[in-house]
Amino acid sequence: GIQVEQSPPDLILQEGANSTLRCNFSDSVNNLQWFHQNPWGQLINLFYIPSGTKQNGRLSATTVATERYSLLYISSSQTTDSGVYFCAVGTTYNFNKFYFGSGTKLNVKP
Amino acid sequence: DTAVSQTPKYLVTQMGNDKSIKCEQNLGHDTMYWYKQDSKKFLKIMFSYNNKELIINETVPNRFSPKSPDKAHLNLHINSLELGDSAVYFCASSQDLELAPSRGRTDTQYFGPGTRLTVL
């Protein structure tokens, strides 16, 4: 199956700092989503972004499908941004099956 | 008006027992999933159902049996529980992702709150 690698695995930020999380994938994808798992375990969808750029408040994401990577930008980080960020991809040859990366654990300190 | 709900939230049981986890979605989605999240937070798909039919069955032991009585429900039954089954199990739903683009939808997966299973 497709390989999904996320970096960095761990990230510590001071409140107010900006950060970039990266997701590399090993094959063509037709679906890419970013999720945030909060400290209580809830998985929340942030972006559906198989290509292009989207923004939602302090978060934005860019996927360059031809180069097989996606970036998640967090600006002016807040303590509520803490948690684990996952990238998940789906391929054209196996719809409805998602492959998750191992996540980036973010800790934003006040 | 929870979109994807799971019960129970916590499940503590002895090795060898049989247990079930229930999942319901009220989003009108065609496809439902079960994922397992291990202690290192790695998420892996176990099963996917589309309109009550099994479409994805990863290399999961036969002790795990999903059942979909209708497209709004996908339950997970586990026989003869083992220590290694301890994990958080997430249910999720989405539109049929193969058909979504042709229907002008760019749908995503919505996850339930998870069920933390502890096998003693």
Side-chain angles (χ1 to χ4, degrees), chain A residues 30-31 33 35 37-38 40-43 45 47-48 54 84 86 94-102, chain B residues 31 33 35 37 41-43 45 48 50 55-56 58 90 95-98 106-109 111-113:
Chain A
N30 68 336
N31 193 319
Q33 298 175 35
F35 292 89
Q37 187 168 36
N38 64 25
W40 297 272
Q42 181 67 36
L43 278 158
N45 182 277
F47 292 103
Y48 166 83
K54 288 186 178 178
V84 183
F86 290 101
N94 203 340
F95 287 93
N96 299 310
K97 180 173 178 177
F98 278 84
Y99 297 86
F100 276 77
S102 53
Chain B
T31 307
Y33 313 79
Y35 286 87
Q37 186 173 43
K41 299 284 192 184
F42 187 68
L43 271 157
I45 192 166
S48 174
N50 183 280
I55 55 171
I56 290 173
E58 288 298 283
F90 285 96
Q95 294 291 350
D96 184 336
L97 296 174
E98 183 169 6
T106 54
D107 219 330
T108 65
Q109 288 193 320
F111 279 78

Side-chain angles (χ1 to χ4, degrees), chain B residues 43-91:
Chain B
L43 271 157
K44 187 170 181 196
I45 192 166
M46 300 172 69
F47 301 102
S48 174
Y49 267 72
N50 183 280
N51 282 315
K52 302 192 299 174
E53 286 189 26
L54 181 66
I55 55 171
I56 290 173
N57 182 351
E58 288 298 283
T59 50
V60 177
N62 291 340
R63 299 182 294 103
F64 290 79
S65 53
K67 288 207 171 30
S68 182
D70 55 61
K71 74 174 194 176
H73 296 84
L74 181 62
N75 304 324
L76 183 65
H77 189 76
I78 316 171
N79 289 328
S80 304
L81 278 156
E82 300 178 357
L83 294 177
D85 297 332
S86 295
V88 181
Y89 293 84
F90 285 96
C91 176

Side-chain angles (χ1 to χ4, degrees), chain A residues 20-93:
Chain A
T20 301
L21 281 56
R22 187 176 181 104
C23 172
N24 291 335
F25 40 94
S26 62
D27 205 342
S28 299
V29 300
N30 68 336
N31 193 319
L32 188 145
Q33 298 175 35
W34 282 97
F35 292 89
H36 175 221
Q37 187 168 36
N38 64 25
W40 297 272
Q42 181 67 36
L43 278 158
I44 306 295
N45 182 277
L46 298 175
F47 292 103
Y48 166 83
I49 187 160
S51 63
T53 297
K54 288 186 178 178
Q55 180 152 9
N56 184 0
R58 296 180 297 102
L59 301 182
S60 64
T62 294
T63 297
V64 184
T66 52
E67 297 188 22
R68 299 184 182 171
Y69 72 88
S70 182
L71 302 173
L72 178 69
Y73 306 96
I74 305 174
S75 64
S76 305
S77 58
Q78 300 176 358
T79 55
T80 51
D81 295 331
S82 295
V84 183
Y85 290 80
F86 290 101
C87 166
V89 303
T91 63
T92 51
Y93 51 83

